[in-house]
């Protein structure tokens, strides 16, 4: 494109570059703050950390790792991410493959039945009451089973499998291979791009989940996840802030020394909860376009 | 051979039923976790109390539905909050498109990539993390107050998180902070699909960059914008839960409590299950009705349905 460089376009460029850069800084700064606060010397940090480290120390990280229950919370978060992702990827891939088979009896009916779940749900409380009657309260399985078959992911796989050249599958079928064998030896290797998309988005979703922990497993400390642990720290800090506002200094001092979570622990736990996302982020970027097709796929 | 009989290979019946048998466990999961909860709707017609089975509970008909519809105080308040958030949502809905257009005007590839990468990141962290970040920055002893006081812009610490009147615009800003980069991707993809020859032709005819945006880029993005807008109509009463849940505190509660939060409070905090279910059902019906309206609109405007 050839455009004259008028003063107007130069000014427009400056404004655009500035606005975009400013927004990017706003997005980056809170995360940067986590890093500089966590690794600053705690004593120095009291004077305020704003743009760069004040001293350098692993004190905060050591303190958080020493907290009771934090190892368990980390383990639970990792477990639910790994197991939950593995299971949902298998379920959605296999079911998507089965639904791609025209000869499946009742295919249209069952496929529709799965799709409808994207639009109609029981809602928060009916779902809670029914899951509770299944015994899914204080139970690790509540992190994994309800989301195992995701209609949206299943459609993605089905659409993908239907685009594959049928010749490979037919060749295997003629050689007498069963559906299962075709699925594992032909379909899976060819479907890696879509499987990777589903896996990475489910993994992020699992890692970030906390509400199921809150409503189903809140009374079960051994099932606490990292995100929920962080939420609890924040609630305590919130209480402290409210006390400060009321000017109840005595209570505040008592609270700080006894049970309330210091800022260092809070910030460091947040960093722990955010780091895995940063680590997979570069790998995720190539799947963005596929991932955003939510709603663009027809049932 | 496949060209002669596409997909219609005659397979033994037995083998076809294998497909259904293999799908059965997964269909059972869908039944258990998505369909059975729908039976939970029946709780709304009884005076259900925890510990007593539904069969022993007293049948009360549509009492709870009536109760909500005739509630002057809470119903009015939570509906007001929900509608305000939804309307502000429509007001800011062109922002992702504007962001994408601006990003597209950046000719410096590395700068463009950096801005896009960084601004998409907040979309992938949970609202709990966002809350923690904002708490750290905006609370009374947070870095925002430190900086503002050092610059002499304010004399005493402020806390926007505990400011009842700031709720609507602050939560909207947060929503944009988290989602703007991600929402703009769909527009960037659409921009990449615009025929470059149109720009060249316009340029030869003496169009300025601004004129090209106004007469080529924006009209080309309008179909995407309208589809997304129509889809969002169905979600009018689902303005979001996590965000408002984590940012709710004693001070902001009155203004931040949207319909979903209210259902949570009534049903799970107060254990008033039947009432909570009744409100949830009415919400679902409104959602479905809006979805049908959006679908009809879409058929009229674009000639295709969205669902």
């Amino acid at each position: 494109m050839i455009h004259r460089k008028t003063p107007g376009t130069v000014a427009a460029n400056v404004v655009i570059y500035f606005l975009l850069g400013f927004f990017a800084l706003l997005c980056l700064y809170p995360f940067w703050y986590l890093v500089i606060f966590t690794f600053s010397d705690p004593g120095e940090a009291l004077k305020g950390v704003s743009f760069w480290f004040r001293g350098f120390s692993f004190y905060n990280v050591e303190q958080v790792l020493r907290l009771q229950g934090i190892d368990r919370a980390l383990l639970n978060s990792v477990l639910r991410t790994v197991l939950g992702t593995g299971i949902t990827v298998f379920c959605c891939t296999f079911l998507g493959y089965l639904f791609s088979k025209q000869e499946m009896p009742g295919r249209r009916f069952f496929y529709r039945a799965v799709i409808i779940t994207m639009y109609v749900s029981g809602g928060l409380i009916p779902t809670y009451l029914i899951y509770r009657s299944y015994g899914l309260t204080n139970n690790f399985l509540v992190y994994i089973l309800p989301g195992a078959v995701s209609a949206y992911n299943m459609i993605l796989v089905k659409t993908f499998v239907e685009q594959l050249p049928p010749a490979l599958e037919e060749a295997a079928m003629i050689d007498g291979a069963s559906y299962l064998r075709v699925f594992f030896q032909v379909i899976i290797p060819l479907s890696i791009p879509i499987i990777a998309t589903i896996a990475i988005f489910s993994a992020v979703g699992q890692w970030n989940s906390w509400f199921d922990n809150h409503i189903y497993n809140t009374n079960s400390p051994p099932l606490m996840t990292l995100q929920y642990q962080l939420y609890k720290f924040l609630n305590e800090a919130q209480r402290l802030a409210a006390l400060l506002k009321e000017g109840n200094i005595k209570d505040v001092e008592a609270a700080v020394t006894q049970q309330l979570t210091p800022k260092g622990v809070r910030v460091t736990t947040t960093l722990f909860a955010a780091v895995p996302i940063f680590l997979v982020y570069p790998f995720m970027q190539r799947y963005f376009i596929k991932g955003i097709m939510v709603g663009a796929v027809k049932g | 051979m496949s060209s002669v009989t596409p997909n219609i290979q005659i397979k033994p019946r037995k083998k076809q039923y294998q497909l259904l048998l293999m799908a059965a466990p997964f269909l059972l999961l869908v039944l258990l976790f998505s369909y059975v909860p729908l039976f939970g709707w029946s709780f709304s017609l009884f005076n259900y109390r925890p510990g007593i089975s539904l069969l022993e509970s007293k049948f009360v008909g549509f009492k709870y539905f009536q109760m909500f519809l005739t509630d002057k105080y809470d119903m009015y308040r939570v509906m007001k909050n929900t509608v305000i958030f939804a309307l502000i949502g429509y007001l800011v809905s062109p922002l992702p498109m504007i962001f994408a257009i601006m990003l597209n005007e950046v000719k410096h590839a590395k700068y463009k990539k950096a801005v896009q990468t960084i601004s998409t990141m907040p979309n992938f962290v949970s609202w709990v993390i966002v809350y923690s970040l904002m708490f750290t920055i905006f609370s009374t002893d947070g870095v925002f107050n430190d900086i503002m006081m050092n610059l002499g812009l304010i004399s005493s610490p402020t806390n926007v998180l505990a400011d009842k009147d700031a709720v609507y615009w602050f939560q909207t800003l947060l929503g944009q902070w988290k989602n703007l980069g991600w929402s703009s991707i769909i527009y960037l993809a659409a921009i990449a699909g615009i025929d470059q020859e149109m720009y060249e032709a316009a340029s030869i005819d003496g169009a300025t960059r601004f004129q090209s945006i106004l007469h080529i880029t924006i009209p080309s993005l309008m179909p995407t914008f309208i589809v997304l807008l129509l889809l969002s109509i169905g979600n009018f009463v689902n303005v979001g839960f996590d965000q408002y849940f984590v940012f709710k505190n004693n001070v902001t509660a009155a203004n931040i409590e949207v319909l979903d939060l209210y259902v949570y409070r009534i049903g799970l905090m107060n254990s008033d299950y039947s009432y909570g279910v009744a409100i949830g059902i009415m919400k679902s019906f409104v959602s479905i009705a809006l979805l049908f309206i959006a679908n009809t609109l879409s058929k009229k405007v674009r000639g295709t349905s969205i669902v």
Side-chain angles (χ1 to χ4, degrees), chain A residues 75-232:
Chain A
L75 179 72
N76 283 335
S77 282
V78 170
L79 268 181
R80 74 172 289 172
T81 303
V82 172
L83 289 174
T85 305
I87 288 173
T88 194
V89 164
F90 176 75
C91 291
C92 298
T93 315
F94 192 51
L95 193 61
Y97 162 69
L98 293 176
F99 275 135
S100 76
K101 296 274 137 284
Q102 305 278 339
E103 66 269 24
M104 178 175 171
R107 187 180 86 118
R108 273 173 73 89
F109 172 78
F110 289 115
Y111 183 64
R112 290 257 165 99
V114 178
I115 301 305
I116 288 174
T117 63
M118 292 203 300
Y119 300 102
V120 184
S121 87
L124 179 68
I125 295 159
T127 307
Y128 169 77
L129 293 172
I130 298 291
Y131 287 10
R132 194 180 63 177
S133 73
Y134 291 163
L136 284 176
T137 44
N138 303 319
N139 189 334
F140 183 80
L141 289 175
V142 79
Y143 297 147
I144 292 173
L145 288 181
V149 180
S150 138
Y152 172 66
N153 288 343
M154 186 276 290
I155 301 173
L156 279 185
V157 175
K158 175 179 167 279
T159 326
F160 188 89
V161 171
E162 281 170 346
Q163 288 167 359
L164 293 175
L168 287 168
E169 205 182 326
E170 278 165 16
M173 281 298 208
I174 287 164
D175 289 345
S178 64
Y179 286 117
L180 268 182
R181 206 179 150 128
V182 169
F183 174 69
F184 283 110
Q185 296 192 338
V186 180
I187 300 298
I188 287 191
L190 291 173
S191 307
I192 294 299
I194 199 72
I195 290 175
T197 311
I198 296 175
I200 208 143
F201 280 88
S202 325
V204 170
Q206 279 285 359
W207 179 263
N208 280 340
S209 289
W210 55 275
F211 192 63
D212 44 12
N213 190 170
H214 174 63
I215 62 173
Y216 296 105
N217 292 341
T218 192
N219 297 324
S220 186
L223 296 173
M224 177 103 84
T225 60
L226 190 62
Q227 300 277 343
Y228 191 56
Q229 179 68 262
L230 176 61
Y231 178 71
K232 291 205 131 179

Side-chain angles (χ1 to χ4, degrees), chain B residues 288-300:
Chain B
I288 293 169
L290 288 172
L291 194 67
F292 274 107
I293 292 172
N295 211 24
T296 316
L297 275 176
S298 171
K299 274 183 193 158
K300 283 228 170 86

